[in-house]
Amino acid sequence: MFGSSPVTVVITSEADTWDIDASSCLGCGQFVDWDRMPDSEQEACVPRDILSKPSKELKKLAREGYWAASRTLRAQVYHQLIQQVPCRLVTPDALVYRDVASRLFGKLSVSSHPLPEFLEACSMPTYCLNLEGVTALKKILICVGNLFPDITYSPILPSLVALLLHYSEDEAQCFENISRLIASNAPHTSYIDQSFLAHQASCMTFGDLANKHCPAAHKLIASTSENVFEVYSEWLSWLFHDLPFSYAIRVFDVYLLEGQKVLYRIALALLKQYRLSVTSAELEGTDIKADLQAFVQNIAEHVTVDKLLERAFGIRLFSRKEIWLLQMANRKALMERGMTMVQSRQSFHLAVDMQNFSSSIVTAQEMRIIWSWIPERFSLFPPLLLFTTSEDGCSLQRFYTCCEGYEPTVLLIKTTEGEVCGAFLSSDWSERKKSGATSGFFGTGECFVFTVRPETERYEWVFIKKPELAKAVPRSRQRSPSPSPTSLLSSSPDGCGTSSNRLTVPTPQRKGRLSPFLAIRHFLLPSKTASMFMAGSRGGIIIGGGGGQALSLDASLLWGRTEHCETFDNPPLCQENFKVQLLEVWGFQNT
């Protein structure tokens, strides 16, 4: 054997006996069972200069389905694009495959072959491959397991190999191409997750994006599923297992050109389409995970592949770098939870148990909805009560003492009228001390405000819904510290004054920390008042600013005010001037 990783022995039936021929060089398409293919690709005339076009034009052609016009064209494009992927210096190629396959399989024809352990519990779609194609698929995966012993979990790898086999001249070419995708070292991008840690981080990242870009679908899933994360953990399987071949191959077209970000787009488009096709009443008592899988498998009944891709590319995601930062933050959170690079799927559970949750303001079901809104890397951890006015008293100083050192936190307020609202606050309250006794606004674009009663609704940073309003900040640009918000807190008798146009954006985060997702310094904002997330002083606290404050509380924590603000574009969260009946702050255990 050429690798040290353990293997799983899979016994195949005699009908599935492999024809081991290490020197096989079948022509493109010879691995395909054409009788099972839905539609035959036409051999259209291909311009000779098609592959020399600029990247931007190639992306446009791929999105429009140009490669589908010719099997030969698609095969040539795939091979050339993958050959251009930057990868590690020592990456196995076709010659290595022929040598390793010859040594592993020889000329024997047997019905028992070891498969890599990373395929344990993973499905193996064959996408209309014939028997020789299925044999080639398994042989390639075995060689991958031997030459890439560091791979411990990669559920989409069989699907990608199967799709590539449709457009490969032989096994060796297919192996070389999949090896380059595995060994890619392009900055801020990844083609194939190769550990359970990386896979779970990408699932968490999808959950974060679904939370922000598909709020209606997310709310529906959170209200009908015990474990939202478990539903989102199948997002890659929707694309490279459940989608029909004619859809999956179009996804693969754009994936090779644009990387993993495009997979997020298409999965989000599927989620949006699913929400359009169901109602809450229909999902009562339904296994939503299975229902979503069935929906994707029958996607042709709901939307064409062209329309699906059109909707996917209409979703305005943040940059590849921002998504990469979020994925790295999720990986860090998983490692803090105890997950390792070699963690097996079966020995790790991420669900947060809300059964023992107890609050004087919200029910366990209401808290589960709020928890579903929180970035995935934090919602891994169960809620921890940090401060409550019923036990700690109505003291702002006590509030700061109990909350400092915890990041992030959830603020819950119940008014004397029975209304319930609150905020998710991404930064430690000790940030207010950075510029001395008083400080400006701080926090990140992950902050949001919400209502629970009488209606459940969330209001995010305005640039979540309108990212086109912000531009990336050049690396050399830095923001100056914010002026003090003290005047806002002392401009009226109850300490809840109106906004000042002298307030600017937050200061940069302290050095040495992983840059948080949606940090203000990553954006060039047209309005300084659209980034006022949280502020505190001896006079009280403010959440949201610009034209008003989403929430403001005085030093007694008894009186508050809520207004529309530019940061969250929210309506008043309850009666504009309110009296606090009870206030709680929740943190996250083990953070």
Side-chain angles (χ1 to χ4, degrees):
M1 282 302 196
F2 295 87
S4 57
S5 56
V7 296
T8 302
V9 176
V10 174
I11 307 299
T12 60
S13 65
E14 287 304 317
D16 194 31
T17 297
W18 298 9
D19 180 15
I20 300 300
D21 179 6
S23 61
S24 60
C25 289
L26 302 175
C28 175
Q30 293 301 309
F31 294 117
V32 181
D33 183 347
W34 293 104
D35 292 334
R36 295 166 54 205
M37 286 289 286
D39 295 300
S40 298
E41 292 159 305
Q42 302 299 316
E43 290 302 321
C45 181
V46 181
R48 290 186 177 181
D49 65 340
I50 186 68
L51 296 178
S52 63
K53 291 185 179 296
S55 174
K56 187 174 181 179
E57 191 167 345
L58 285 174
K59 287 181 181 179
K60 182 175 183 293
L61 292 173
R63 292 180 181 189
E64 294 174 351
Y66 191 82
W67 310 152
S70 166
R71 166 169 287 273
T72 302
L73 171 61
R74 195 173 246 153
Q76 291 175 343
V77 168
Y78 282 5
H79 187 64
Q80 179 160 316
L81 288 177
I82 294 174
Q83 289 300 308
Q84 293 172 355
V85 171
C87 55
R88 298 193 291 265
L89 184 62
V90 179
T91 300
D93 58 12
L95 289 175
V96 171
Y97 175 80
R98 292 189 179 99
D99 179 58
V100 172
S102 176
R103 296 187 188 192
L104 281 177
F105 307 114
K107 296 184 178 180
L108 300 175
S109 180
V110 294
S111 58
S112 176
H113 296 278
L115 290 172
E117 190 177 72
F118 66 74
L119 293 180
E120 186 178 353
C122 297
S123 59
M124 194 178 298
T126 57
Y127 290 118
C128 305
L129 294 176
N130 56 26
L131 183 58
E132 284 181 300
V134 172
T135 298
L137 168 64
K138 294 176 181 178
K139 289 171 62 180
I140 291 168
L141 291 170
I142 291 167
C143 289
V144 166
N146 277 268
L147 290 164
F148 293 92
D150 291 339
I151 299 178
T152 56
Y153 188 74
S154 188
I156 72 165
L157 196 54
S159 297
L160 300 184
V161 174
L163 291 172
L164 277 172
L165 275 170
H166 276 256
Y167 302 95
S168 298
E169 292 180 359
D170 56 20
E171 296 170 15
Q173 185 189 65
C174 182
F175 172 84
E176 178 174 323
N177 285 338
I178 199 66
S179 293
R180 293 189 68 84
L181 294 180
I182 291 170
S184 168
N185 59 6
H188 304 148
T189 190
S190 170
Y191 284 97
I192 301 172
D193 293 332
Q194 297 166 45
S195 68
F196 189 56
L197 174 64
H199 173 73
Q200 290 295 90
S202 69
C203 292
M204 290 168 63
T205 301
F206 177 75
D208 284 320
L209 295 173
N211 192 351
K212 296 182 184 303
H213 296 282
C214 307
H218 184 80
K219 185 176 180 180
L220 178 68
I221 293 171
S223 64
T224 56
S225 174
E226 287 289 331
N227 189 343
V228 178
F229 182 78
E230 186 178 348
V231 175
Y232 290 150
S233 67
E234 299 298 317
W235 78 280
L236 278 171
S237 293
W238 301 344
L239 304 178
F240 292 124
H241 178 272
D242 300 329
L243 278 179
F245 174 82
S246 58
Y247 284 69
I249 200 65
R250 289 285 301 277
V251 173
F252 196 70
D253 288 349
V254 290
Y255 164 68
L256 286 182
L257 275 163
E258 305 186 45
Q260 193 176 48
K261 181 179 176 180
V262 80
L263 301 185
Y264 288 127
R265 286 186 185 277
I266 297 168
L268 290 172
L270 285 169
L271 198 57
K272 283 177 174 282
Q273 188 66 40
Y274 175 72
R275 178 64 186 89
L276 293 174
S277 71
V278 297
T279 64
S280 299
E282 291 174 338
L283 289 177
E284 284 294 330
T286 301
D287 181 347
I288 196 166
K289 182 178 172 182
D291 197 57
L292 246 169
Q293 180 183 35
F295 170 82
V296 175
Q297 290 171 345
N298 297 288
I299 189 65
E301 298 175 7
H302 303 277
V303 63
T304 65
V305 65
D306 289 306
K307 182 58 70 174
L308 178 66
L309 291 179
E310 180 185 322
R311 291 173 180 171
F313 288 107
I315 298 172
R316 294 183 177 273
L317 293 185
F318 283 99
S319 70
R320 180 181 297 175
K321 180 179 179 180
E322 280 290 328
I323 293 175
W324 178 81
L325 284 172
L326 176 58
Q327 190 148 344
M328 292 302 101
N330 286 334
R331 283 178 68 124
K332 181 182 178 184
L334 287 167
M335 293 174 75
E336 288 175 351
R337 180 79 186 275
M339 185 177 286
T340 67
M341 287 293 291
V342 296
Q343 191 79 46
S344 66
R345 178 179 185 177
Q346 290 75 17
S347 61
F348 204 86
H349 303 281
L350 294 173
V352 172
D353 180 16
M354 288 286 186
Q355 296 299 317
N356 298 318
F357 172 79
S358 177
S359 165
S360 299
I361 297 180
V362 296
T363 66
Q365 172 63 17
E366 289 169 335
M367 193 58 157
R368 197 172 75 188
I369 297 294
I370 295 168
W371 228 243
S372 76
W373 290 333
I374 292 168
E376 294 283 358
R377 65 187 185 276
F378 303 124
S379 64
L380 288 175
F381 304 97
L384 173 68
L385 184 62
L386 303 177
F387 174 86
T388 171
T389 51
S390 65
E391 296 180 9
D392 299 298
C394 298
S395 164
L396 181 60
Q397 186 54 50
R398 181 66 176 161
F399 170 94
Y400 288 141
T401 300
C402 292
C403 298
E404 286 178 7
Y406 288 88
E407 177 181 296
T409 54
V410 175
L411 173 69
L412 296 176
I413 297 170
K414 182 177 182 180
T415 73
T416 53
E417 298 298 319
E419 297 169 299
V420 176
C421 59
F424 171 78
L425 304 169
S426 64
S427 297
D428 190 331
W429 278 105
S430 63
E431 293 280 312
R432 76 190 192 285
K433 301 176 180 178
K434 289 173 66 174
S435 298
T438 59
S439 175
F441 278 86
F442 54 97
T444 73
E446 287 188 315
C447 291
F448 60 83
V449 294
F450 57 84
T451 60
V452 178
R453 281 180 241 141
E455 300 292 335
T456 305
E457 195 57 70
R458 173 184 50 162
Y459 303 95
E460 299 178 284
W461 185 31
V462 65
F463 291 106
I464 296 292
K465 297 191 182 302
K466 300 177 181 179
E468 68 276 8
L469 298 179
K471 298 179 180 179
V473 174
R475 289 184 180 179
S476 60
R477 292 285 298 274
Q478 292 291 332
R479 296 289 188 180
S480 59
S482 304
S484 167
T486 304
S487 59
L488 282 99
L489 295 164
S490 59
S491 61
S492 64
D494 63 359
C496 300
T498 57
S499 176
S500 166
N501 59 12
R502 295 185 293 105
L503 290 169
T504 56
V505 299
T507 58
Q509 298 287 320
R510 56 185 178 270
K511 293 181 179 179
R513 300 181 62 205
L514 181 65
S515 179
F517 187 52
L518 302 183
I520 285 303
R521 68 179 179 278
H522 295 158
F523 302 94
L524 190 60
L525 304 178
S527 170
K528 294 179 180 179
T529 59
S531 56
M532 297 175 176
F533 300 116
M534 53 191 291
S537 73
R538 289 187 294 269
I541 63 173
I542 296 174
I543 299 162
Q549 293 96 50
L551 278 173
S552 56
L553 295 169
D554 69 359
S556 71
L557 301 183
L558 285 174
W559 298 96
R561 182 174 174 82
T562 177
E563 307 166 284
H564 169 269
C565 77
E566 293 179 15
T567 300
F568 300 115
D569 193 25
N570 60 283
L573 303 177
C574 57
Q575 289 188 8
E576 288 196 6
N577 294 290
F578 60 87
K579 185 176 181 180
V580 176
Q581 177 178 319
L582 192 60
L583 182 149
E584 293 177 348
V585 180
W586 292 82
F588 300 77
Q589 292 186 30
N590 301 322
T591 58

